[in-house]
Amino acid sequence: MEDVLGNSSFFANSFPLQSIFDFSSEGDKFPLGFMELLGAHDFATPPLFDISQQVPPPLKTESPDAFNLPATPNSSSVSSVSSEAVNDRKDDQRKTKKQLKPKKTNQKRQREPRFAFMTKSEVDHLEDGYRWRKYGQKAVKNSTFPRSYYRCTSTSCNVKKRVERSFTDPSIVVTTYEGQHNHPSPLMSRPSLGGSHLNSGISAGAASGLPMQRAQSHFYHHHQQQLPFSSTWSALNFGHNGSIVGQTSFKDHGLLQDIIPSHMLKEE
DNA sequence: CGCATTTGACCGGCGC
DNA sequence: GCGCCGGTCAAATGCG
């Protein structure tokens, strides 16, 4: 499971993404090309394509910056802004659920920043250095494949991810991360996983607590940090025949031209 | 025995 | 107001 990254990486379909996350209404294509989505550019423009389509800007007193880092690595002391909010709400919800006590939280559901990526893989659950527990599975509308919901097993870490196969290309797995790890990867110390590139690459992120967080800001979420993206991704060992679709050269259009539909590129 | 997965039920948000 | 849908819970079950 080492040399999987060479497994024909390319920006395969972009349509599945579009349909899945509906960045924009179908008619309008992307306001930004996929390149921007990947953070290849500095998109200073706000939520043109928030995958969580709900971004309620004025609801909380969170500045975009605060939103950017709901659970900062340093604030792993848990009590950080939005992540905590989510936790509270969930806890509340869980408790009240059985007792049918509908406590109306006035505020809209506050979501963690999310980012998604596509991976060409035969297996659904890709190894990304963290341990995940599956907590749900749902059938996806317009797709024959179910969507699986995972949560980080680390107690204080409420990072979630959902995994589903692309409807249009079953060989592609779409993984959406939500939230940020406030702990280093539990698997990093495992020698078995310690591919050299994994170790070296991920350590930078892990040192700060979260390898994923960097990539996160570069992806679909509209807040961004200037951090090395590709190294992070390559650092992640998406084992099991997995290869990040689009991990490769996004600095120029190269591959993209072949794969991304014209309407994507013409927007630039 | 402890942990992960499965799966049906439940809940809230949203569109009509 | 109602129904649909996405997301989550938690009991039951499986597995190492």
Side-chain angles (χ1 to χ4, degrees):
Chain A
M1 85 182 225
E2 333 261 280
D3 52 274
V4 283
L5 285 178
N7 196 7
S8 83
S9 299
F10 60 97
F11 280 97
N13 45 10
S14 35
F15 355 88
L17 269 180
Q18 185 174 12
S19 62
I20 287 166
F21 303 113
D22 59 29
F23 305 120
S24 57
S25 42
E26 359 101 0
D28 272 352
K29 291 78 176 182
F30 285 75
L32 299 172
F34 199 59
M35 305 288 289
E36 283 89 343
L37 303 190
L38 292 176
H41 296 221
D42 272 315
F43 38 85
T45 46
L48 288 168
F49 46 85
D50 200 295
I51 57 178
S52 57
Q53 91 235 18
Q54 30 210 353
V55 186
L59 267 175
K60 280 205 104 175
T61 62
E62 286 179 357
S63 70
D65 281 342
F67 197 81
N68 188 15
L69 291 176
T72 66
N74 303 334
S75 72
S76 57
S77 41
V78 210
S79 35
S80 179
V81 274
S82 60
S83 65
E84 170 105 331
V86 169
N87 265 344
D88 273 349
R89 193 194 169 283
K90 280 210 187 341
D91 203 46
D92 194 359
Q93 172 179 347
R94 173 187 357 186
K95 283 187 178 130
T96 58
K97 180 178 176 179
K98 287 293 163 125
Q99 309 164 11
L100 288 168
K101 187 178 57 147
K103 185 149 186 181
K104 275 257 187 251
T105 52
N106 203 353
Q107 55 187 113
K108 245 180 191 170
R109 184 196 198 98
Q110 194 72 32
R111 289 225 171 259
E112 303 277 345
R114 296 196 245 171
F115 77 102
F117 59 93
M118 302 190 303
T119 308
K120 196 173 184 74
S121 171
E122 294 169 13
V123 297
D124 290 341
H125 198 184
L126 303 167
E127 183 57 64
D128 57 7
Y130 290 89
R131 293 188 55 83
W132 302 91
R133 174 166 41 225
K134 188 175 188 174
Y135 67 88
Q137 175 172 315
K138 289 285 277 189
V140 181
K141 238 179 77 170
N142 298 328
S143 172
T144 53
F145 304 100
R147 173 184 297 149
S148 298
Y149 298 89
Y150 297 89
R151 174 172 294 145
C152 183
T153 57
S154 187
T155 48
S156 60
C157 180
N158 64 334
V159 175
K160 287 171 280 188
K161 77 171 179 181
R162 75 200 71 153
V163 177
E164 64 188 275
R165 289 202 171 270
S166 166
F167 176 50
T168 54
D169 187 348
S171 68
I172 299 228
V173 176
V174 179
T175 306
T176 305
Y177 285 86
E178 180 172 334
Q180 299 170 345
H181 295 281
N182 54 17
H183 60 97
S185 164
L187 299 184
M188 283 204 12
S189 52
R190 304 249 292 247
S192 57
L193 276 167
S196 51
H197 67 288
L198 170 64
N199 239 354
S200 59
I202 215 167
S203 57
S208 67
L210 3 132
M212 298 304 285
Q213 128 186 20
R214 297 145 182 285
Q216 169 168 354
S217 16
H218 278 278
F219 251 80
Y220 303 137
H221 206 265
H222 45 278
H223 306 294
Q224 64 278 353
Q225 297 170 321
Q226 328 302 336
L227 292 165
F229 164 80
S230 58
S231 64
T232 300
W233 285 104
S234 53
L236 298 171
N237 190 355
F238 287 83
H240 309 130
N241 311 316
S243 63
I244 299 171
V245 172
Q247 178 210 1
T248 54
S249 62
F250 46 79
K251 28 186 166 204
D252 61 37
H253 281 183
L255 291 167
L256 285 170
Q257 292 175 330
D258 294 338
I259 298 144
I260 293 189
S262 54
H263 75 260
M264 297 273 302
L265 295 173
K266 84 174 178 203
E267 291 294 329
E268 318 217 281

